[in-house]
Amino acid sequence: MLNDIMEKRKKVLTDSEQHKNKRNELNATASKSARERNSLNNQTREFVEEAQKNKDLRDKYNQEVITLKGERNELNSQANVLFEDIEAFKKEHGNLKNRGIKELQKQIEYMEYRQQTEVFTTDKERELIEKIKQMKGQVKEQEAELEQNKEMRTKITSARDFRKQASDLHAKVTELAELAQKHHDLMVESYRKADKSREAADAAHKSFVEAQESADAEHKAFIACQKELRDYDKVISGLRKKTKKVKVTKEQKAVRQEAENLFKNFRAGEKLTTDDLLLLQRSKLI
């Protein structure tokens, strides 16, 4: 029976070691996943902060664009008023020919915009440049004729100044709009990176939870094995004590039987040795 229990205890001890090793392995995996998750969460926060910075800059530049557009439009409106006066003057003086300055300016601006934004063949671009040059020449001719009138000269000068200021503001608007778009793209990219790292952090957290739960289960199994081992140790200890007691009792019975035989022989007249007498004394037969 004792041997059978010893074998069972040996198996439980093996299971206990396996559960402990597995628990330690899973705890190490959980710790690794937790470190990875924390690192990814920090990275996500950095991406979100970067996205917010670019968003603030985008909004700032967009607001500046709105403000400058208003100023630009106001300058263009003032220029248009003057050009309308100039056109009215031209109508009153039939000796002025060709299209109005205002219309020519619009055509020039449109063609210059096309030149900057569209792709042309070499010949087409030369043709467009030549048209712009011709129209600018027409504007100068008409302005030169109008400038002979002092009042018109003053209005032309003011209109040109308004147009120049509006053009400078338009260039600034374009620059700021490009900056706003740049920071918008950076914001979108940062948010995309944040989403990606957040997904990775969630996956790492899931791995952490799974490993931790499995480690807890292995720890519970290890504790159960330890309790079972203590129970086996108690049973084994009791059986050993019982076996030892039985052995002592058998030895005592053997000694008693031997002493009784010696005493019987002594009564029959046989001589006893010193050891025989000591044995009889221990057995309390004499």
Side-chain angles (χ1 to χ4, degrees):
M1 182 178 179
L2 180 60
N3 289 337
D4 183 47
I5 292 175
M6 290 289 289
E7 284 298 317
K8 289 181 179 179
R9 183 188 184 280
K10 185 177 180 182
K11 183 179 181 306
V12 172
L13 180 60
T14 300
D15 291 344
S16 175
E17 287 300 311
Q18 289 177 347
H19 287 307
K20 183 179 74 173
N21 293 336
K22 188 63 178 176
R23 177 202 64 189
N24 294 343
E25 179 184 335
L26 287 165
N27 277 332
T29 300
S31 296
K32 181 181 177 183
S33 295
R35 288 193 297 272
E36 183 180 356
R37 176 202 61 196
N38 294 341
S39 175
L40 287 165
N41 279 333
N42 289 334
Q43 191 177 70
T44 299
R45 279 192 292 273
E46 289 175 1
F47 284 138
V48 170
E49 289 173 1
E50 187 66 23
Q52 186 61 47
K53 288 178 183 177
N54 283 296
K55 180 178 181 296
D56 292 341
L57 286 171
R58 180 203 65 183
D59 294 345
K60 172 179 174 288
Y61 290 132
N62 277 334
Q63 187 57 51
E64 289 181 13
V65 165
I66 292 171
T67 302
L68 291 180
K69 274 185 176 181
E71 294 177 9
R72 180 201 63 189
N73 293 342
E74 178 60 27
L75 288 167
N76 278 326
S77 295
Q78 293 180 36
N80 288 337
V81 169
L82 292 173
F83 280 125
E84 286 171 2
D85 291 345
I86 293 168
E87 291 300 313
F89 178 82
K90 284 173 59 180
K91 288 179 181 179
E92 291 176 4
H93 298 76
N95 59 328
L96 294 176
K97 301 177 182 179
N98 301 324
R99 284 179 287 183
I101 295 174
K102 181 179 178 182
E103 183 183 350
L104 286 169
Q105 288 285 7
K106 286 183 179 180
Q107 288 294 321
I108 291 169
E109 288 173 5
Y110 173 70
M111 286 190 288
E112 286 180 338
Y113 176 77
R114 286 189 60 198
Q115 183 189 1
Q116 293 172 5
T117 58
E118 296 181 24
V119 178
F120 294 95
T121 63
T122 303
D123 291 340
K124 286 288 185 181
E125 186 168 10
R126 285 175 182 169
E127 182 181 340
L128 185 64
I129 292 172
E130 184 59 31
K131 284 183 180 180
I132 293 172
K133 183 178 178 182
Q134 290 175 4
M135 295 179 78
K136 284 185 175 180
Q138 293 176 28
V139 169
K140 286 184 179 179
E141 287 177 5
Q142 293 190 39
E143 287 180 345
E145 188 174 354
L146 287 168
E147 284 175 355
Q148 294 177 12
N149 180 285
K150 183 178 180 181
E151 182 183 355
M152 288 300 103
R153 184 166 58 248
T154 301
K155 288 186 177 182
I156 288 171
T157 301
S158 297
R160 285 175 180 170
D161 186 51
F162 287 141
R163 284 289 192 207
K164 177 64 170 61
Q165 291 180 55
S167 179
D168 292 343
L169 283 179
H170 181 72
K172 187 64 176 177
V173 164
T174 302
E175 179 185 344
L176 291 172
E178 289 174 354
L179 281 172
Q181 185 61 47
K182 172 187 173 183
H183 287 288
H184 174 77
D185 294 341
L186 289 171
M187 176 197 73
V188 171
E189 179 63 16
S190 293
Y191 276 133
R192 187 191 65 78
K193 290 179 179 178
D195 289 340
K196 188 175 179 180
S197 62
R198 188 181 293 109
E199 287 177 4
D202 290 343
H205 180 67
K206 183 180 178 183
S207 297
F208 161 75
V209 171
E210 290 174 351
Q212 192 65 63
E213 288 177 348
S214 297
D216 291 343
E218 293 293 335
H219 181 67
K220 288 180 181 178
F222 168 74
I223 295 300
C225 287
Q226 290 295 303
K227 182 179 181 301
E228 193 172 355
L229 285 172
R230 288 194 295 272
D231 292 340
Y232 274 125
D233 287 341
K234 289 179 182 178
V235 173
I236 290 169
S237 178
L239 286 174
R240 281 176 173 170
K241 287 180 180 178
K242 184 177 180 181
T243 301
K244 184 177 181 182
K245 184 176 181 181
V246 169
K247 183 179 179 182
V248 170
T249 302
K250 285 182 178 179
E251 290 176 352
Q252 288 176 343
K253 285 183 177 180
V255 171
R256 178 73 180 182
Q257 184 63 46
E258 184 182 358
E260 287 179 352
N261 289 334
L262 286 172
F263 186 71
K264 185 176 180 181
N265 292 335
F266 171 69
R267 292 182 65 184
E270 289 186 10
K271 292 184 179 181
L272 300 175
T273 65
T274 303
D275 291 336
D276 292 339
L277 290 172
L278 290 172
L279 179 60
L280 289 173
Q281 286 179 348
R282 286 201 303 274
S283 301
K284 299 182 180 181
L285 293 176
I286 58 173

